[in-house]
Amino acid sequence: MSEPVDETPAREGTAPSRRTVVAWGGAGLALGAAAAGGAALLARDGDTPVPVADSGAAVPFHGPHQAGIATAVQDRLHFAAFDVTTKDRAALVQLLKDWTRAAERMTAGAEVGEGAYGGLPEAPPDDTGEALGLKPSRLTLTIGFGPTLFDGRFGLKDRRPAGLVELPRFPGDNLDPARSGGDLCVQACADDPQVAVHAIRNLARIGFGKVAVRWSQLGFGKTSSTTPDAQTPRNLFGFKDGTRNIAGTETERLAKHVWVSGKDAEGKAAWMDGGSYLVARRIRMNVETWDRTPLAEQEDIFGRDKREGAPVGKAKEHDEPFLKAMKPDSHVRLAHPDTNAGATILRRGYSFTDGTDGLGRLEAGLFFLAYQRDVRTGFIPVQTSLARADALNEYIQHVGSALFAVPPGVRDKDDWWGRALFA
């Protein structure tokens, strides 16, 4: 069971803000299971029960696993990868402690430190202020450690887990180094984009002089769901994808496919017990070309009908697909676990649009996020299959890539992100 939301009081001399009151009171009504993916659970807004996903309430920060993985997928994303610029191990440890304390407060709907106003006029405030008056909006903050953090700068070389491999270069990749890699990452998900942006902005501000943003990505329109009774979202091609995604309530599938166990993390890599591995891929979608493609061809490419999302020859979205009825190069057939020796991942992707590409086309696509117990038996075999033969490759291209080891959750107020790694 997840622990309660941090009830850190407001600054002395000030009354708790409305959003802090929501975080203290409203969150405790039904949020224990929200962190486990239960978006259909009820909170209360006055006397009227409302779904947690619509309540603007807080998701518990503390627990055995980090929130933002099996949690019911929120509507918005701000993802940032950081380079560590300090060479001082103690400074990095202190940063992770400071980030943890700030994350506890922001996910509860409270201001960072002493807040956005009321402090010394001669000093910058502890909080940038753009989330004042906003609800917590189910904000989750999830941290990960990239392979380059284990290069020897901080005495961590022998603590790099075996699962934190270098991803192979797949056929068709056109990766931009400026949008790939990173020593650290933070995934901020919320139902209010300003809440997510505020969180990343404040962590970057706290880290000034110790870390620098390497790249970041805004996302909207979640393209997958961890809530079994929710409608599967659609991607920018208009199709439902990932209808068999792992649900936050499926504890057995999570244990089998998502959470690292003690068997996987032994010896000096035991700090990953309860964690996961995150693959982030920025996938450019050539929407203009797709929009000129006949409907029948679109459906053949995915292996689903566009209206319902049903597999070929089936009536409903969640009907078990008959893979042999699909074309050999269809996306669903090639991505299915039965085609990849059972490989299964948990998807939390988002759509994005970033202006134009300078040639009169939208810079749009999918920011793909996948969590798994081991990328060697998860993402890598699936992407190998897709990269070789997927008919969808004519319309997409992978242009950014990163892999991170995601440590277990912060257990209590004395714990901090990465404590076991640096112990």
Side-chain angles (χ1 to χ4, degrees):
M1 176 66 72
S2 300
E3 295 183 25
V5 173
D6 180 15
E7 297 185 359
T8 307
R11 293 171 291 154
E12 285 187 27
T14 63
S17 69
R18 179 174 179 272
R19 64 196 177 94
T20 304
V21 171
V22 169
W24 295 353
L29 295 174
L31 284 180
L41 296 174
L42 297 182
R44 287 193 176 276
D45 185 2
D47 293 327
T48 306
V50 295
V52 166
D54 300 328
S55 69
V59 174
F61 180 77
H62 298 123
H65 311 293
Q66 289 195 65
I69 302 174
T71 308
V73 183
Q74 302 92 321
D75 290 333
R76 302 288 180 147
L77 168 81
H78 191 190
F79 189 98
F82 296 85
D83 289 329
V84 178
T85 55
T86 183
K87 297 179 181 179
D88 186 342
R89 176 185 169 114
L92 175 57
V93 167
Q94 187 59 53
L95 171 65
L96 293 172
K97 292 179 178 178
D98 293 343
W99 271 9
T100 305
R101 302 287 82 84
E104 286 172 336
R105 293 187 63 84
M106 289 189 290
T107 55
E111 297 164 49
V112 175
E114 293 300 311
Y117 58 89
L120 291 174
E122 297 80 12
D126 288 343
D127 189 289
T128 52
E130 70 271 27
L132 287 171
L134 300 179
K135 295 179 180 181
S137 299
R138 296 195 302 133
L139 172 68
T140 56
L141 293 167
T142 313
I143 196 170
F145 304 133
T148 50
L149 191 68
F150 299 85
D151 59 7
R153 287 173 291 166
F154 306 107
L156 302 174
K157 199 167 188 178
D158 62 347
R159 310 208 74 179
R160 177 173 173 171
L164 193 61
V165 298
E166 296 293 336
L167 292 177
R169 188 174 185 88
F170 299 99
D173 278 1
N174 185 24
L175 304 181
D176 179 358
R179 288 188 176 272
S180 301
D183 294 329
L184 305 170
C185 77
V186 178
Q187 170 194 282
C189 297
D191 291 325
D192 186 326
Q194 188 144 316
V195 170
V197 170
H198 167 265
I200 294 295
R201 178 184 176 188
N202 278 269
L203 294 181
R205 178 189 56 76
I206 292 169
F208 183 76
K210 300 176 184 178
V211 296
V213 176
R214 178 179 178 87
W215 55 270
S216 72
Q217 182 66 59
L218 292 172
F220 69 91
K222 60 187 179 185
T223 61
S224 56
S225 173
T226 55
T227 310
D229 56 353
Q231 179 176 330
T232 303
R234 296 179 184 270
N235 57 33
L236 289 182
F237 285 161
F239 277 78
K240 297 178 179 181
D241 194 18
T243 60
R244 301 297 300 273
N245 200 29
I246 300 172
T249 52
E250 294 181 298
T251 54
E252 290 186 5
R253 290 185 77 200
L254 288 168
K256 182 177 180 180
H257 299 294
V258 178
W259 306 131
V260 176
S261 73
K263 296 179 182 178
D264 310 309
E266 298 178 338
K268 292 188 176 182
W271 61 272
M272 272 295 288
D273 187 8
S276 190
Y277 290 96
L278 168 63
V279 173
R281 303 279 285 188
R282 189 175 191 270
I283 304 174
R284 173 80 186 276
M285 298 169 72
N286 300 317
V287 294
E288 291 83 4
T289 305
W290 180 262
D291 293 344
R292 295 192 295 272
T293 301
L295 174 60
E297 186 176 345
Q298 291 183 0
E299 293 182 332
D300 283 343
I301 289 170
F302 268 97
R304 294 187 180 276
D305 78 274
K306 198 166 191 176
R307 177 181 179 180
E308 174 64 27
V312 171
K314 303 291 184 175
K316 299 295 182 182
E317 168 191 341
H318 294 288
D319 288 348
E320 187 67 29
F322 180 52
L323 299 182
K324 291 184 179 180
M326 301 176 185
K327 293 197 171 182
D329 59 355
S330 70
H331 182 73
V332 169
R333 181 170 180 170
L334 291 173
H336 197 277
D338 289 352
T339 306
N340 299 287
T344 303
I345 56 179
L346 186 155
R347 285 181 263 193
R348 288 187 64 95
Y350 287 83
S351 297
F352 70 84
T353 56
D354 290 336
T356 71
D357 64 356
L359 298 174
R361 300 173 301 191
L362 287 173
E363 177 75 23
L366 168 66
F367 190 65
F368 175 87
L369 296 168
Y371 287 90
Q372 60 251 279
R373 182 172 173 173
D374 192 325
V375 295
R376 295 168 295 183
T377 56
F379 174 77
I380 290 177
V382 174
Q383 183 55 27
T384 298
S385 176
L386 292 172
R388 287 175 177 168
D390 191 359
L392 197 58
N393 291 337
E394 182 180 347
Y395 303 91
I396 64 173
Q397 188 170 56
H398 291 237
V399 295
S401 178
L403 171 64
F404 300 94
V406 177
V410 176
R411 297 282 182 159
D412 52 43
K413 295 178 184 179
D414 296 321
D415 199 3
W416 45 276
W417 276 334
R419 178 185 59 79
L421 169 60
F422 288 88

